Amino acid sequence: MGCAGRIANGVNTVYCSYATPGGHALVGARIYVPADQLADPDRRAALGIGEDTGFRSKPQLAVDMLRDMVTDATMPGWCAGDEVYGRSVELRTFCEDNGIGYVLRVGRTFHADLTAGVRLRADAVLDTVLSTQDSWQIRAVPGSKGDRRYAWAWVATRSPHHFLLLRKHLQTGEVAYHYCHVPPGRSVPLMTLVRVACLRWPVEEDFEFGKDHFGLDHSQVRLYTALARHRVLTMAALAVCAVTAAQAKTRAPVPVLPSSPDDDPPADTGLIALTVAEIKRLFILITRRPHTDAHHLHWTWWRRRHQARARWFHHRTRLARQATT
């Protein structure tokens, strides 16, 4: 278990999140079952796993979900994932065969063919090809607490459709590596690959929302079918609130934000748009009202106003940090 840092009792699941500028939610999940459990007939029967379920690695489970989306014509043009999926040749091949662009995290030991006869590790590219400061460009991508600014650089490979994309933290200098595929016929600037690479952040938010507000990890069952049903119900509830929040966002007023690090806070920062968590609370009022409607709406407005004020100060802090760097 990666979260425990050791072998532990738990459930591993591969999730797929659908992310757009308006919102994001989990749209797919596959439970990972170790091969030794599937090979044990008694254990398989105790867990409620049917004979039609065979062993699939995590990247293979990801391929299964992408294949379903391709079949349903719901697959977007880009795919992002962490190192577990970036080092999977099978997953990368599936995306390339189906015209899906990807920006997948890889480790520093990942090898890429830059030119004929020149094959380098990702960290060796950092030390040779990108050894000068001019090789990097500062790019910002919107985040929940303001723009996230990193230094980015990309390196062409022997293939005209593949690139190495590197991201460097402006304060710590920590570098993350990505392997990218741009389908034929697409003209893609650096900023497009940067935005796709940053789509991994909404996935983490979906885990947070799913666990904290919808009980994604609160199931106590140990049966395969029961776990699968629990995930479907949890993801459906999250999706309903995420779609509602995305629609509310289109009608929300323009946020009040500072323009310089010297700005004084305004008297009224307004309200943030309805969030997934806030919409869930409002849905709960349909079936349960411990207090009056006025009481619940008062706290809804208070939270949204407080969060808008906190957002204003977060933005001003980021502007001050940018001015010093």
Side-chain angles (χ1 to χ4, degrees):
M1 299 291 293
C3 58
R6 58 184 174 83
I7 297 177
N9 181 31
V11 179
N12 270 321
T13 307
V14 178
Y15 289 100
C16 178
S17 182
Y18 193 99
T20 74
H24 49 86
L26 297 171
V27 295
R30 296 290 189 279
I31 300 173
Y32 170 83
V33 184
D36 58 340
Q37 294 186 12
L38 292 173
D40 185 341
D42 295 334
R43 189 70 181 276
R44 178 190 282 266
L47 293 172
I49 302 176
E51 294 297 328
D52 57 338
T53 301
F55 174 75
R56 301 285 284 171
S57 66
K58 289 184 178 181
Q60 288 172 333
L61 292 173
V63 170
D64 292 341
M65 285 187 282
L66 296 185
R67 181 177 290 110
D68 288 344
M69 297 182 73
V70 170
T71 302
D72 295 339
T74 57
M75 183 68 207
W78 293 95
C79 174
D82 60 23
E83 292 182 26
V84 173
Y85 309 100
R87 60 173 175 256
S88 171
V89 177
E90 182 178 353
L91 175 60
R92 299 200 308 264
T93 301
F94 175 85
C95 291
E96 294 174 15
D97 291 344
N98 288 273
I100 303 169
Y102 59 72
V103 180
L104 300 171
R105 281 283 293 270
V106 294
R108 62 174 63 244
T109 61
F110 182 84
H111 286 78
D113 296 318
L114 300 189
T115 59
V118 178
R119 183 176 175 83
L120 294 178
R121 285 178 26 146
D123 54 359
V125 172
L126 174 65
D127 297 333
T128 56
V129 181
L130 302 176
S131 58
T132 64
Q133 191 66 26
D134 296 339
S135 304
W136 299 87
Q137 302 178 41
I138 305 297
R139 291 290 184 270
V141 175
S144 58
K145 297 180 180 179
D147 290 344
R148 302 190 183 193
R149 300 173 74 249
Y150 292 91
W152 297 85
W154 59 341
V155 178
T157 67
R158 184 180 182 183
S159 166
H161 305 296
H162 293 86
F163 301 87
L164 273 177
L165 177 69
L166 290 81
R167 186 196 73 193
K168 182 166 63 175
H169 196 281
L170 295 179
Q171 278 72 47
T172 66
E174 181 182 2
V175 178
Y177 306 90
H178 307 78
Y179 190 57
C180 311
H181 167 68
V182 179
R186 293 191 196 176
S187 178
V188 176
L190 171 63
M191 196 60 199
T192 298
L193 299 181
V194 169
R195 290 194 180 100
V196 177
C198 295
L199 288 179
R200 292 182 61 246
W201 296 332
V203 176
E204 299 301 328
E205 290 184 0
D206 286 338
F207 290 153
E208 178 184 351
F209 294 158
K211 293 177 181 179
D212 293 348
H213 300 290
F214 299 92
L216 183 64
D217 59 343
H218 294 176
S219 174
Q220 298 298 314
V221 299
R222 288 296 181 265
L223 299 180
Y224 184 86
T225 303
L227 283 170
R229 290 173 176 170
H230 174 78
R231 276 159 174 72
V232 169
L233 293 174
T234 302
M235 291 163 52
L238 171 59
V240 168
C241 293
V243 170
T244 305
Q247 294 174 343
K249 186 178 179 180
T250 62
R251 298 188 293 271
V254 177
V256 178
L257 298 174
S259 58
S260 75
D262 299 323
D263 286 356
D264 293 325
D268 185 8
T269 54
L271 304 177
I272 67 168
L274 284 169
T275 63
V276 171
E278 206 62 58
I279 288 172
K280 189 210 74 168
R281 296 187 185 101
L282 294 176
F283 272 129
I284 289 176
L285 296 181
I286 298 175
T287 58
R288 186 171 70 251
R289 288 187 179 90
H291 303 283
T292 64
D293 289 347
H295 175 90
H296 290 289
L297 292 177
H298 166 79
W299 283 108
T300 293
W301 290 326
W302 184 89
R303 281 188 297 264
R304 294 172 62 194
R305 192 174 300 280
H306 175 76
Q307 290 169 328
R309 186 171 179 82
R311 177 182 60 187
W312 191 95
F313 281 99
H314 278 302
H315 276 264
R316 192 177 70 170
T317 301
R318 287 182 179 271
L319 289 173
R321 187 181 300 122
Q322 294 171 15
T324 59
T325 57

